[in-house]
Amino acid sequence: MLSSRVLLSPRDFNRSRRWYTEVLGLRVYREFGANGEVTGVVLFLGGGLLELSAAGSPGPMTLWLQVPDLDAEHRRLIATNAVTIVSAPETMPWGLREMWIEDPDGVRIVLVEVPEGHPIRSRLEVTS
């Protein structure tokens, strides 16, 4: 496997594009379309990519996005007044800090902070 991306087909491409870039703050990797009309955009998503496409039918999806400071991101998103916060930041029993939000189409997104010392931050040593 060389690369991967999550594909979404939102009900309103332009609204979702604005939300993911302006509200959530994802950066554009590339755009595509035909005859000068942008019908798709690929966004950087940490170590992966998110593609929004006007082609296709909307469907359920959940995104997992790691952020460096969940409380700061919570404050930033509340200030935009453009995000549905499903659940505020909290430390889960497995040690991750999580907050759930929804995009304009109701796609559930979990924002995750991995605290110092959490096992996810450690590389597993492979022995043969």
Side-chain angles (χ1 to χ4, degrees), residues 47-117:
L49 299 169
L50 169 65
E51 179 178 321
L52 300 177
S53 175
S57 57
M61 174 66 59
T62 300
L63 298 175
W64 189 97
L65 305 176
Q66 184 179 345
V67 298
D69 183 335
L70 189 62
D71 293 317
E73 192 63 13
H74 181 241
R75 288 188 299 273
R76 187 187 75 76
L77 291 173
I78 285 175
T80 69
N81 203 28
V83 177
T84 300
I85 308 263
V86 176
S87 65
E90 71 174 295
T91 301
M92 306 310 288
W94 44 91
L96 297 176
R97 302 232 333 115
E98 297 183 2
M99 173 177 75
W100 287 82
I101 64 174
E102 288 183 348
D103 84 352
D105 286 319
V107 172
R108 293 177 55 88
I109 302 168
V110 59
L111 300 178
V112 178
E113 179 183 343
V114 181
E116 292 290 333

